[in-house]
């Protein structure tokens, strides 16, 4: 029997504030924060908020342990070199120190020597304030977390649907109950997005079919009508085979396809070449399951597809996401209730750091990037090489937040590059994490209950407001206060006030959060109606506003009588897309959903979506396969998000050990039992953890969760290095440079046993499975075929060196890299 939720806290309180959970994931749950004498005493899910209906995940419920965590960084700190101890100073001293170093950096190396990196725990004003500061300072290197996170699907949506910027969710979760089939790809929603899983389960109770595609039999798959456990990075082959069935059996929506899809006939030969039997060999999914899934998806419309990191952090990400989009389109489930391509996370609106920046002279140097597209977040993975090699020009300053250093692929290389060549590293932080330990200046930052602001990249194309519930703890300030503090010192007070004018009346060194947020939102028509006045859950209907909302009037309207959230509830209805010129439903060059994409062809990528092997698979890298014969796939647990979660006890208790999931058959061969201490090695480095022997993972694959940090408490006995230590930073998705976190070759063995013997036994074990029947000419990735785009780093297997701009790298890119 379900427990009845209590209507209010049983604790003694004198104030309750309606607010929104921020920066710990992108669901934007409504919260009621109970306060007594200026201290948070309880946190409840807000039952009136339509998104979470009173529910919270463990991070939200345990957030007061974050707010009052004794481990939080409480004061500004500085040090001359990374070998010195950090020492506590005043805010003025820390800002003076950082400003002096940044001025020296600009004078000695040019402004482009500074990289500003905004992360998934960023608030809106750090993102836009960071961009604005970077533009005025003169650096093109303003970086987002997208290329190591999940923005590649948004990039694909731009080409297929013509989304402005990274719009990638059509229908919100609250609409999913109208779906008759929900396909979930590469997202363990039941575990990582539990408040959103309730909408999937509600739809299932109403009769919707649920299809789950994932490399692991996870909690979400346990609820599936059809479960497909596939080899990582092979979704394109799987979906093309589903489309093969749908076209052959004439199960698609002809009317929609003829009117709104461009390039289907051109794609047919590739689809014909991918029958379910062939896809079964490539993907590990049985032929009959692929056929059943295709028939189910096509027969139960409106159908929708949702997903997350699984289709983003992988080599063929662009094509994989194009395939999923076309699958939905072929059923005609676009622009209708219950349908849509509804990718979670980073569904952010177009953002604008200020129209007035156009008056500045152009930035002199090009950005450090080797992705094919010339827009969206700059490639984070490029920066270790630039810092190491100081090419194409020196990068000697880094300013970032979150715990980015621990999350960068090939972490230890980045860390070593820091020690070697970075003169000023500034870190806005909550915790004394790995990144903190590589900083010259540390600024303590407020949590979301200590400030007000905007959640702007929610899972539901959502803008939501969070209210300040208590005063700032210790000496914490907001990210944007660091930005204006440095602007005042570097550009001069007058210029600082000119470019960052929204100051608090009681203290002009600090920013008026609401005024600054409204100012930035007004710079962009998609967000102009999203102001504190229209978003505040204390004074407006709960749940926020779905962008685009060009005016405050638009932001206050519900699109359908039963729509649960205000604003634009369903995108791509049969009407012109906002601002489309000429007016078109799909603002692509053809005016239709594009299977065949000339714009991608023009930048050197595939005209038609197709399957490509990743950079590190048994097929594409047989040499590395000899040494590392098991496929590593990674994911995220609910208790962790960037640096949030594992730093406080309740969340850590949920997943206290950094485990390595390994199938019982492989475990038996290697003499590994549940709970044994095991080692895992890739061509890059080594991590450790405790074995979780489980059938969740395929026998040929192991699974490890990400976002750990060797400095975080509570996990005894292992190094607790993040899995990014073993992730390659060179072979990435060519279109957007998304790092490959889903398919990396590794070797696993029990600590204290012979590693070479483990390698021999693993190869012996793998002989039980069929070989991979890949067409080497067509399906190997661009890097493997040696046709990488001009200027991109490629990997010369003979010399074991990375080749960059036609020359073997002299430093940093030499394999194997050691972290001595
Ligand atoms: S972390 Fe995400 S799911 Fe959890 S309470 Fe906050 S918004 Fe909701």
């Amino acid at each position: 029997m379900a427990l009845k939720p209590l209507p209010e806290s049983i604790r003694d309180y004198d104030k309750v504030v309606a607010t929104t959970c921020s920066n710990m994931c992108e669901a934007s749950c409504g919260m009621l924060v109970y306060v007594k004498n200026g201290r948070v005493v309880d946190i409840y899910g807000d039952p009136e908020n339509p998104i979470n209906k009173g529910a919270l995940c463990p991070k939200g419920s345990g957030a007061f342990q974050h707010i009052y965590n004794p481990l939080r960084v409480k004061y500004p700190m500085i040090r001359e070199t990374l070998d010195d101890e950090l020492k506590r100073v005043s805010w003025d001293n820390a800002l003076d120190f950082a400003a002096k170093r940044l001025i020296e950096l600009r004078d000695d190396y040019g402004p482009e020597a500074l990289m500003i990196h905004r992360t998934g725990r960023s608030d809106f004003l750090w993102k836009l304030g960071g961009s604005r500061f970077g533009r005025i300072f003169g650096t093109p290197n303003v970086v987002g977390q997208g290329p190591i996170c999940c923005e590649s699907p948004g990039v694909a949506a731009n080409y297929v649907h013509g989304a402005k910027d990274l719009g990638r969710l059509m229908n919100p979760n609250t609409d999913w109950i109208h779906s008759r089939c929900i396909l979930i790809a590469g997202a363990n929603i039941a575990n990582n997005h539990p408040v959103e899983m309730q909408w999937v389960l509600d739809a299932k109770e109403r009769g919707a079919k649920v299809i789950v595609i994932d490399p692991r039999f996870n909690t979400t798959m346990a609820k599936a009508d059809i479960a497909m456990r596939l080899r990582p990075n092979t979704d394109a082959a799987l979906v093309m085979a589903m489309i093969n069935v749908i076209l052959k059996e004439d199960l698609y929506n002809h009317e929609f396809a003829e009117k709104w899809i461009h390039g289907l006939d051109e794609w047919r030969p590739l689809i014909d070449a991918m029958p379910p039997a062939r896809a079964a060999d490539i993907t590990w999914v049985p032929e009959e399951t692929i056929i059943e899934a295709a028939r189910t998806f096509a027969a139960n419309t409106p159908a929708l597809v949702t997903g997350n990191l699984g289709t983003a952090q992988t080599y063929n990400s662009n094509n994989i996401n194009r395939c999923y989009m076309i699958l939905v389109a072929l059923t005609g489930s676009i622009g209708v209730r219950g349908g849509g391509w509804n990718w979670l996370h980073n569904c952010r609106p177009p953002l604008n750091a200020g129209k007035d920046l156009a008056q500045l002279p152009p930035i002199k140097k090009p950005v450090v990037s080797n992705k094919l597209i010339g827009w969206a977040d700059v490639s984070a993975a490029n920066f270790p090489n630039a810092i190491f090699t100081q090419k194409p020009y020196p990068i000697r300053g880094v300013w970032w937040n979150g715990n980015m250093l621990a999350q960068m692929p090939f972490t230890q290389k980045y860390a070593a590059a820091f020690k070697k060549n970075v003169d000023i590293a500034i870190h806005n932080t909550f915790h004394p994490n790995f990144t903190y330990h590589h900083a010259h200046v540390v600024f303590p930052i407020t949590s979301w209950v200590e400030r007000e602001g905007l959640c702007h990249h929610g899972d539901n194309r959502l803008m939501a407001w969070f209210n300040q519930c208590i005063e700032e703890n210790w000496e914490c300030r907001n990210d944007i206060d660091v930005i204006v503090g440095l602007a005042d010192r570097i550009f001069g007070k007058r210029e600082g006030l000119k470019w960052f004018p929204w100051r608090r009346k009681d203290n002009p060194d600090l920013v008026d959060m609401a005024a600054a947020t409204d100012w930035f939102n007004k710079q962009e028509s998609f967000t102009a109606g999203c102001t504190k006045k229209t978003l505040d859950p204390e004074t407006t209907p709960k749940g926020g506003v779905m962008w685009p909302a060009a005016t405050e009037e638009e932001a206050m309207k519900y699109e359908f009588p039963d729509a649960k959230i205000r604003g634009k509830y369903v995108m791509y209805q049969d009407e012109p897309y906002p601002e489309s010129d000429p007016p078109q439903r799909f603002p692509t060059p053809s005016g239709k959903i594009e299977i065949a994409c000339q714009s991608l062809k023009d930048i050197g990528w595939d005209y038609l979506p197709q399957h490509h092997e990743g950079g590190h698979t048994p097929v594409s890298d047989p040499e590395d396969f000899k040494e590392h014969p098991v496929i590593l796939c990674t994911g995220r647990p609910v208790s962790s998000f960037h640096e949030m979660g594992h730093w406080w006890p309740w969340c850590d208790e949920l997943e206290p050990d950094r485990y390595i999931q390994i199938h019982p058959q492989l475990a038996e061969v290697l003499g590994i039992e549940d709970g044994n201490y095991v080692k895992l090695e890739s061509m890059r480095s080594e991590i450790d953890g405790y074995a979780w022997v489980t059938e969740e993972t395929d026998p040929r694959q192991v699974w490890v969760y990400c976002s750990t940090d060797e400095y975080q408490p509570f996990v005894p006995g292992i190094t607790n290095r993040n899995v990014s230590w073993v992730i390659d930073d060179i072979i990435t998705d060519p279109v957007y440079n998304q790092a490959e976190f889903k398919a990396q070759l590794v070797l696993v063995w029990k600590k204290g046993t012979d590693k070479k013997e483990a390698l021999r036994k693993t190869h012996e074990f793998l002989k039980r499975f069929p070989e991979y029947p890949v067409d080497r000419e067509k399906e190997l990735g661009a890097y493997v075929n040696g046709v990488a785009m001009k200027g991109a780093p490629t990997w010369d297997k003979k010399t074991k060196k990375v080749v960059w701009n036609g020359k073997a790298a002299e430093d940093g890119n030499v394999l194997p890299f050691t972290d001595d």
Side-chain angles (χ1 to χ4, degrees), residues 568-632:
K568 187 72 189 155
Y569 205 60
V570 175
M571 290 293 275
Y572 297 104
Q573 295 173 58
D574 197 354
E575 62 191 6
Y577 188 86
E579 291 185 7
S580 172
D581 183 20
Q584 294 179 158
R585 180 179 182 182
F586 300 99
T588 56
S590 65
K592 298 181 177 185
I593 293 172
E594 295 209 338
I595 298 177
C597 185
Q598 187 62 40
S599 316
L600 281 169
K601 188 178 175 193
D602 289 345
I603 59 171
W605 190 240
D606 297 322
Y607 179 57
L608 296 162
Q610 54 198 285
H611 169 63
H612 288 308
E613 280 291 312
H616 301 282
T617 76
V619 188
S620 63
D621 197 347
E623 283 303 308
D624 192 30
F625 179 64
K626 284 182 197 158
E627 301 298 318
H628 302 110
V630 177
I631 296 169
L632 165 71

Side-chain angles (χ1 to χ4, degrees), residues 95-114 133 137 396-397 423-424 426 485-492:
L95 287 166
D96 288 345
F97 179 89
K100 181 168 173 285
R101 288 265 173 118
L102 288 178
I103 290 167
E104 287 166 1
L105 172 124
R106 188 181 60 185
D107 293 348
D108 293 348
Y109 298 99
E112 66 281 355
L114 173 65
F133 181 96
F137 189 79
R396 301 194 71 92
D423 303 321
I424 173 67
I426 306 171
L486 290 179
D488 287 351
R489 284 162 174 80
I490 293 170
F491 311 134

Side-chain angles (χ1 to χ4, degrees), residues 745-800:
L745 290 170
V746 297
L747 174 68
V748 182
W749 70 101
K750 181 174 156 181
K751 194 189 172 203
T753 62
D754 184 5
K755 190 170 136 188
K756 280 202 175 131
E757 188 58 8
L759 179 63
R760 187 192 65 73
K761 284 178 177 170
T762 306
H763 275 296
E764 202 53 41
F765 170 71
L766 291 173
K767 285 182 187 155
R768 297 181 197 176
F769 300 93
E771 286 194 12
Y772 301 96
V774 167
D775 182 334
R776 294 191 66 84
E777 284 305 307
K778 292 191 187 132
E779 290 169 359
L780 295 188
Y783 288 104
V784 184
N785 273 334
V787 291
M789 64 174 196
K790 194 170 170 287
T794 55
W795 179 16
D796 184 333
K797 288 187 176 158
K798 279 197 195 122
T799 60
K800 298 241 180 216

Side-chain angles (χ1 to χ4, degrees), residues 46 64 94 127 143 175 212 220 227-228 261 314 320 347 397 409 491 513 578 587 590 600 634 680 686 695 734 781 820:
D46 188 340
F64 60 86
K127 262 198 174 153
V143 184
D175 180 62
V212 178
T220 310
M228 296 194 273
I261 298 179
T314 198
I320 286 170
C347 183
F491 311 134
M513 300 292 278
S590 65
L600 281 169
T634 73
L680 182 151
E686 180 182 297
E695 290 185 359
D820 299 335

Side-chain angles (χ1 to χ4, degrees), residues 215 230-234 282-284 613 616-619 625 628-634 660-662 666 680-681 697-704 740-748 762 766 772:
L230 88 170
R231 181 162 68 93
N233 188 56
T234 63
I282 294 171
T283 64
W284 299 344
E613 280 291 312
H616 301 282
T617 76
V619 188
F625 179 64
H628 302 110
V630 177
I631 296 169
L632 165 71
C633 186
T634 73
I660 294 173
Q661 286 195 331
I662 180 165
L666 178 59
L680 182 151
E681 177 200 81
T697 187
D698 186 275
R700 293 156 281 188
Q701 171 190 277
V702 291
W703 189 91
V704 177
E740 175 65 88
F741 277 86
K742 300 300 175 193
Q744 187 82 44
L745 290 170
V746 297
L747 174 68
V748 182
T762 306
L766 291 173
Y772 301 96

Side-chain angles (χ1 to χ4, degrees), residues 379-423:
S379 174
N382 293 157
F383 281 92
N385 297 314
I387 294 174
F388 233 131
T389 62
Q390 296 288 288
K391 290 176 184 170
Y393 51 75
I395 300 286
R396 301 194 71 92
V398 177
W399 181 10
W400 49 11
N401 67 343
N403 188 18
M404 286 316 300
L405 188 54
Q407 293 175 49
M408 299 304 295
F410 205 0
T411 305
Q412 66 280 31
K413 175 174 159 186
Y414 214 151
F418 250 64
K419 289 208 168 142
K420 187 174 170 216
N421 285 329
V422 170
D423 303 321

